Amino acid sequence: MLDNLSATKVSGGWHKQYSHTSTSTHCPMRFAIFLPPGASQTNKVPVLYWLSGLTCTDENFMQKAGAFKMAAELGIAIVAPDTSPRGDTVPDEDSYDFGQGAGFYVNATQAPYNTHYNMYEYVVNELPALIDQHFPVTDKKAISGHSMGGHGALMIALRNPQNYTSTSAFSPIVNPINCPWGQKAFSHYLGSDKSTWTQYDTCELMDQANATDHLPMRIDQGEADNFLVEQLKTENLFKKVNEQGYPAEINMHAGYDHSYFFISSFIDEHLLFHQSYLQA
């Protein structure tokens, strides 16, 4: 059952927030959806899933990215889930990069996190089924995200190429098994056996990707991003793309940082990129 929290007219369409009790995370979850003008059961539209980064909720992208006008023109719905389970019963840490707000889009295997921190299952299976059931969308899906959400989008697309037409990311964490953010999160959520971490690492997954399952991929990265060298590891993905011949477009932008100023500057290009495959 969905509980409609808000509905706001924007760019001729509607931005709506919903909450529901999740079977994956065993707690209430919130997501937002933008429905472009004319979306109806007789005029279903494709959908872009957006995954946000550390400390974010469904609201960051929807309020700051400036995506609605182009999405309305292209006839694309956008769905933005929260970044983690939340609530008094959900284990948390006094840290911005772990716990609530930092689910890392994995299925946790370690107590006490394994009951609630199942964001991979939520994003890949539960949420799309809910969207398909309740909203006028087609079976065409793309996935994108920022930072931790960029990690989620690329990783999920690589593991489930049959589910998506295309994938993209802004400033993604592409090699989490080799950066402090990822090592902290994975050690707590997944345990000390690092062989279990690789299934959630874009660079590792690219090594395993079957050429017949390659998805169109676009990545935009700011060169003035203060997380670029230590956390994001974009250079490692450059190497993997070249080694594997993966169809990924990686764009570096001088002067841009890690913020939504960067995302809002290039979000139209990402929507146009996805539209060419969603409408195919």
Side-chain angles (χ1 to χ4, degrees), residues 112-130:
Y113 307 106
N114 54 337
T115 297
H116 298 287
Y117 285 84
N118 297 302
M119 289 300 294
Y120 178 87
E121 173 65 22
Y122 180 74
V123 169
V124 174
N125 294 312
E126 183 179 359
L127 182 59
L130 206 62

Side-chain angles (χ1 to χ4, degrees), residues 66-274:
F68 298 141
K69 185 177 180 181
M70 180 59 72
E73 291 177 5
L74 298 176
I76 297 174
I78 302 174
V79 172
D82 202 347
T83 54
S84 80
R86 297 182 193 271
D88 294 340
T89 63
V90 177
D92 195 17
E93 302 291 334
D94 187 19
S95 174
Y96 81 96
D97 57 358
F98 181 74
Q100 294 188 33
F104 271 85
Y105 304 100
V106 304
N107 286 339
T109 59
Q110 303 300 300
Y113 307 106
N114 54 337
T115 297
H116 298 287
Y117 285 84
N118 297 302
M119 289 300 294
Y120 178 87
E121 173 65 22
Y122 180 74
V123 169
V124 174
N125 294 312
E126 183 179 359
L127 182 59
L130 206 62
I131 299 300
D132 290 346
Q133 179 183 355
H134 293 281
F135 299 96
V137 298
T138 69
D139 60 358
K140 294 289 187 72
K141 301 191 294 289
I143 191 166
S144 185
H146 171 234
S147 195
M148 178 186 71
H151 139 73
L154 300 181
M155 174 270 293
I156 286 171
L158 283 165
R159 288 184 59 174
N160 304 275
Q162 71 284 354
N163 289 7
Y164 306 98
T165 62
S166 49
T167 184
S168 72
F170 289 86
S171 316
I173 306 168
V174 300
N175 196 194
I177 66 173
N178 288 318
C179 79
W181 279 341
Q183 290 166 348
K184 179 178 181 177
F186 287 5
S187 63
H188 285 80
Y189 292 139
L190 306 174
S192 60
D193 181 0
K194 294 185 178 180
S195 67
T196 66
W197 299 7
T198 58
Q199 64 184 310
Y200 297 111
D201 186 288
T202 292
C203 284
E204 295 291 322
L205 290 168
M206 198 161 278
D207 276 340
Q208 305 166 22
N210 189 317
T212 59
D213 291 329
H214 285 178
L215 281 179
M217 179 183 293
R218 173 175 177 147
I219 295 161
D220 284 80
Q221 175 62 58
E223 293 181 356
D225 190 323
N226 58 322
F227 301 116
L228 177 58
V229 175
E230 182 181 25
Q231 302 284 11
L232 306 182
K233 305 291 185 182
T234 308
E235 184 177 328
N236 294 358
L237 187 62
F238 266 115
K239 293 177 182 178
K240 294 295 183 181
V241 166
N242 290 330
E243 289 172 3
Q244 301 302 326
Y246 200 94
E249 174 188 344
I250 303 177
N251 305 297
M252 302 298 295
H253 300 276
Y256 286 94
D257 61 14
H258 198 71
S259 72
Y260 268 84
F261 291 113
F262 173 46
I263 295 171
S264 66
S265 298
F266 296 98
I267 190 61
D268 285 359
E269 284 84 348
H270 279 241
L271 289 168
L272 287 164
F273 166 78
H274 289 296

